[in-house]
Amino acid sequence: MPTSPEHAGRPAPRGLSRKNLLRAALGAGALPLLTGGGVALARDTAGDGSPLAPTPACDDGDDPTPEQMEGPYFRPNSPRRTSLVEPGTPGTPLTVSGYVFDRGCRPLSDVLLDFWQADDGGAYDNTGFRFRGHQFTTASGEFRLTTIVPGLYPGRTRHLHVKVQPPGGQVLTTQLYFPGEPRNGTDAIFDAALLMNVRDAGGGREATFDFVLAVGQGPGPGPTDPPGATTWAAGTAYTTGDRVSYDGVGYRCLQSHRATAGWEPPHAPALWQRD
């Protein structure tokens, strides 16, 4: 199938994933339907009506959202707000919304998202906090930002900066991109895995993106767990690279699987490697 210009450089569309189903249920306020089936997919569509792949998909074996450089324009202590625009702000209106998931495709609440970007003319405010602000995800892991489409400046394609940090966890610093931008093919930093799904809407644009953080699966850390590990538990879906502890000893997952009694780390060297 030929690739349209809007989708040049995009990852190939994926099929059903736990994240797609969960996102649909969250958006409909009907999370219990996940276990009973019948949940409609909450997918964005391209201009021709075809579905766009989630970026990145949250599924067994897939990587978390890629990191990117911070750049020279980050400033700490931005104000807490979900809108970066003021009356009369020039530029094309833009809303960015989505969810933050862990590697088990579970929504994460109270995640800090700190956004910063260039204004309509491609300039950053380095003395104040114009087009800078932070917010926290809701109980369902959702965020929503009101801003404008950032302007271009030499050497870069159009992009948004963001830092994402779960409570007590590590900071993910990355950038989000717009499909169909001519400079996507010449920007050395650009990563197609960080393309937002974008559509025109009422004189502005609407974009969606779901973050997947490298947060372990399982019931949570125990008092003797190594840093960054969770306590091994039967029934948990583990992904390659996850860290667990078992009887106070740390292990790293070698291949994605669902934990089963009898496959405890000491007894399953094909699945777990001692840290």
Side-chain angles (χ1 to χ4, degrees):
M1 177 183 296
T3 302
S4 68
E6 181 181 5
H7 301 141
R10 290 190 61 88
R14 294 178 179 269
L16 290 177
S17 72
R18 295 192 305 273
K19 189 188 76 169
N20 281 338
L21 294 173
L22 179 57
R23 192 176 191 276
L26 289 170
L31 188 57
L33 290 178
L34 277 174
T35 58
V39 179
L41 289 177
R43 286 185 175 179
D44 294 305
T45 57
D48 59 3
S50 61
L52 295 177
T55 48
C58 180
D59 206 347
D60 289 336
D62 286 325
D63 293 329
T65 302
E67 293 183 340
Q68 290 224 306
M69 63 183 295
E70 178 182 282
Y73 301 121
F74 174 71
R75 295 192 68 209
N77 304 316
S78 69
R80 181 175 179 176
R81 56 191 179 191
T82 59
S83 176
L84 306 185
V85 297
E86 300 174 356
T89 299
T92 302
L94 171 70
T95 60
V96 182
S97 61
Y99 293 88
V100 180
F101 296 96
D102 68 8
R103 293 180 70 174
C105 293
R106 297 173 299 193
L108 296 172
S109 62
D110 297 320
V111 174
L112 170 68
L113 296 103
D114 195 347
F115 292 94
W116 72 104
Q117 67 171 86
D119 64 16
D120 187 49
Y124 288 85
D125 178 7
N126 296 317
T127 58
F129 290 96
R130 292 179 61 249
F131 295 108
R132 300 175 184 271
H134 72 271
Q135 60 179 279
F136 296 88
T137 55
T138 67
S140 60
E142 187 176 9
F143 71 92
R144 184 178 183 87
L145 177 73
T146 302
T147 183
I148 63 166
V149 175
L152 294 167
Y153 57 92
R156 293 303 316 277
T157 191
R158 212 177 300 274
H159 63 281
L160 301 170
H161 292 271
V162 60
K163 288 181 178 286
V164 187
Q165 182 179 22
Q170 294 185 339
V171 178
L172 166 71
T173 300
T174 193
Q175 301 180 35
L176 303 181
Y177 296 99
F178 294 76
E181 288 290 327
R183 294 190 187 181
N184 286 352
T186 59
D187 188 328
I189 301 174
F190 171 77
D191 185 342
L194 295 168
L195 280 166
M196 298 182 290
N197 294 332
V198 182
R199 60 174 174 262
D200 295 332
R205 307 186 81 184
E206 293 180 349
T208 57
F209 188 88
D210 294 336
F211 294 94
V212 179
L213 301 184
V215 176
Q217 300 164 318
T224 61
D225 287 350
T230 59
T231 303
W232 183 92
T236 302
Y238 291 107
T239 300
T240 302
D242 284 348
R243 299 182 63 214
V244 303
S245 70
Y246 187 85
D247 285 343
V249 178
Y251 296 87
R252 187 177 300 276
C253 182
L254 298 178
Q255 56 181 304
S256 299
H257 67 284
R258 185 170 294 277
T260 302
W263 292 0
E264 294 86 352
H267 310 305
L271 300 177
W272 297 101
Q273 181 180 59
R274 184 165 177 167
D275 277 349

